[in-house]
Amino acid sequence: MSPEAGREHWGSRLGFILAAVGSAVGLGNMWRFSYLTAENGGAAFVILYVAVTLVVGLPVLLAEFAIGRGSGRSPIGALAHFGGRAWTPLGWIFVATGFLILAYYSVIAGWTVRYAVTAAAQGFGPDAGAFFGRVESGWDAVAWHAGFMLATVAIVAGGVKAGIERAAVVLMPLLFLMVVALAIYAATLAGSDGGYDFYLAADFGEILDWGVLQAAAGQAFFSLSLGMGAMLTYASYLSEHEHLPNESLFVALTDFAVAFIAGLAVFPMIFALGLQGEVMESTGGTLFITLPGAFSDMGAAGRVVGLVFFAALVVAALTSAISLLEVVVASAMDGLGWARRRAAVILGSVIAAMGVAAALSPKVLDVMDKTASNLLLPGGGLMLALFVGWVMRDPMAEVRRGAEGVRWFVLWRWLLRVPVPVVLAVVLWQSVPALWQTVLGLFG
Ligand code: TRP
């Protein structure tokens, strides 16, 4: 039986779009984007980021959509379909990357679940740093991680339509409402003005720096879930009538919008409570220490705001985790002929077991994260750009199906041939030494 025969499809166009947005909007949107913006020129950085999203992120996103829909297969089969067997190793790397990212992503997601439950049950105490210390690692962290993996497996086991799509259709609008509500609430707080100034004060001098461009490109790429076939796999459940250019544009801009609005919530809240001195560079620090400190200072309102905030993080993490597991599950279904449930349960358990190492050791978690985001994802994206730019025969025909008469993407293949690989190579060039340092730190 060919992989396409009997393959499931999305129930609706909106379902596919929300699932893709769900993959993109994750923990990276809720803090890392706003932190980079505040550090690197405010509104000027926002403009640069949107430009980089359109020039680097969007072409690779459209490439993944085109390969996925055109082949109707998960990454290994899809690359072989358009490039021959020589390309299957790249597909294997994608699947391995799915295992690796989900193993530690689920540990962080477990923290967010525990924070949401804590906000609802008793609120945060005054010493948020000590609380994080207890949550971050140890057998408790293993248990919350396992619980989160269980939910992820249950949804993926439900299937494309009844599992993944249904979850996205319910959860994504909810997430959007929660983030907007938080931003509105933050605007009502006395003293929040300083937060907007800090976040968005435009400094065009800052963005004339190569390092800033690299950081923007790396973030745009990670935030769109590119470089490991997640978007490719989702697109493999599409029909021929979809307008891929419009859909990729919508997904990219929505991902940006959520990140931007999250910043409008985070900084004003921190400034209103006078905690700006405690903003930390790391994703973990501000999300899991500074903000809970702010919620604790808000008193009763902080219980509600804290719950909404961490519930939004849980939702963001869950819909991203689903897409990671789906890459692995779809590959086992296509390549080994496994039934969906069996693949979800067995492979989900393997990933959960790998995550135990990350839940017991923050250093291991850090190495897993840096290996994936500094090496495997930009490297995978570089290969994908070269694949569609130089190897695949007539990729334009693939995109044009369902999008006849659209002109704005004529530059697409050209961007994939030279500019995108160059930018990704530069991102890799600068991030590999950082990765090496982290690996050495494991032994130091
Ligand atoms: N985009 C996700 C975020 O912003 C993280 C991510 C990176 C991801 N690559 C992925 C999620 C691949 C799913 C699949 O947090």
Side-chain angles (χ1 to χ4, degrees):
M1 188 170 88
S2 81
E4 297 99 310
R7 196 176 186 77
E8 249 197 287
H9 286 283
W10 299 104
S12 70
R13 183 168 175 242
L14 185 70
F16 161 68
I17 290 177
L18 290 179
V21 170
S23 171
V25 173
L27 299 169
N29 294 59
M30 299 298 283
W31 165 247
R32 204 157 164 264
F33 167 81
S34 24
Y35 167 73
L36 284 172
T37 303
E39 282 291 287
N40 294 304
F45 181 85
V46 173
I47 296 168
L48 174 74
Y49 183 81
V50 172
V52 165
T53 296
L54 296 178
V55 173
V56 182
L58 188 60
V60 180
L61 180 59
L62 186 51
E64 290 209 17
F65 280 179
I67 300 172
R69 184 184 67 173
S71 66
R73 298 176 199 192
S74 48
I76 300 172
L79 290 168
H81 178 86
F82 284 115
R85 293 194 61 81
W87 285 86
T88 50
L90 183 61
W92 280 99
I93 292 177
F94 287 180
V95 176
T97 305
F99 273 89
L100 181 70
I101 299 185
L102 185 51
Y104 76 84
Y105 202 81
S106 162
V107 173
I108 303 174
W111 304 344
T112 66
V113 179
R114 181 152 177 202
Y115 270 70
V117 170
T118 303
Q122 72 254 17
F124 297 105
D127 193 349
F131 180 64
F132 182 57
R134 287 197 298 279
V135 169
E136 186 184 17
S137 67
W139 291 102
D140 272 23
V142 171
W144 291 91
H145 151 69
F148 181 85
M149 276 307 298
L150 199 65
T152 307
V153 166
I155 293 171
V156 170
V160 175
K161 234 185 276 185
I164 301 172
E165 180 169 351
R166 198 193 291 167
V169 168
V170 173
L171 293 176
M172 292 319 289
L174 184 67
L175 170 65
F176 196 73
L177 284 181
M178 289 193 286
V179 174
V180 169
L182 287 166
I184 293 174
Y185 173 75
T188 66
L189 295 174
S192 56
D193 315 25
Y196 299 105
D197 292 343
F198 179 70
Y199 180 30
L200 293 173
D203 180 350
F204 284 89
E206 290 271 358
I207 63 169
L208 298 173
D209 178 340
W210 280 107
V212 173
L213 181 63
Q214 281 164 244
Q219 169 67 10
F221 200 77
F222 180 84
S223 189
L224 286 171
S225 301
L226 300 174
M228 54 144 299
M231 293 297 187
L232 184 161
T233 304
Y234 273 6
S236 75
Y237 304 119
L238 278 176
S239 74
E240 296 281 278
H241 313 296
E242 301 294 325
H243 196 303
L244 295 183
N246 280 359
E247 290 175 2
S248 56
L249 188 63
F250 183 86
V251 170
L253 292 180
T254 309
D255 179 58
F256 159 72
V258 174
F260 182 74
I261 298 170
L264 292 178
V266 169
F267 286 112
M269 283 200 282
I270 290 173
F271 273 69
L273 290 145
L275 295 175
Q276 49 272 35
E278 290 172 38
V279 170
M280 296 172 217
E281 276 198 27
S282 65
T283 298
T286 302
L287 281 187
F288 294 107
I289 300 175
T290 312
L291 277 166
F295 300 143
S296 146
D297 291 350
M298 283 176 194
R303 297 269 294 269
V304 178
V305 179
L307 172 61
V308 172
F309 185 83
F310 283 104
L313 274 177
V314 170
V315 167
L318 183 60
T319 50
S320 294
I322 291 169
S323 76
L324 286 161
L325 184 59
E326 180 61 17
V327 171
V328 173
V329 166
S331 301
M333 291 169 68
D334 290 350
L336 305 174
W338 285 15
R340 170 173 288 276
R341 270 170 184 247
R342 173 165 179 228
V345 171
I346 293 178
L347 300 171
S349 307
V350 171
I351 292 169
M354 287 169 62
V356 171
L360 293 178
S361 159
K363 272 190 180 177
V364 169
L365 191 154
D366 196 38
V367 169
M368 287 174 148
D369 178 31
K370 294 234 164 72
T371 307
S373 38
N374 293 356
L375 180 68
L376 295 169
L377 294 178
L382 176 65
M383 297 305 287
L384 271 176
L386 295 175
F387 181 78
V388 174
W390 298 96
V391 176
M392 191 172 157
R393 234 185 308 120
D394 206 4
M396 279 299 193
E398 229 27 88
V399 172
R400 229 175 256 128
R401 216 164 292 142
E404 290 83 3
V406 175
R407 302 243 166 273
W408 64 260
F409 63 93
V410 287
L411 279 178
W412 176 59
R413 190 175 199 191
W414 176 78
L415 284 169
L416 288 174
R417 285 195 155 167
V418 183
V420 171
V422 168
V423 172
L424 289 174
V426 172
V427 168
L428 271 168
W429 179 255
Q430 86 121 38
S431 59
V432 168
L435 170 62
W436 186 234
Q437 286 305 320
T438 313
V439 173
L440 289 182
L442 255 193
F443 307 100

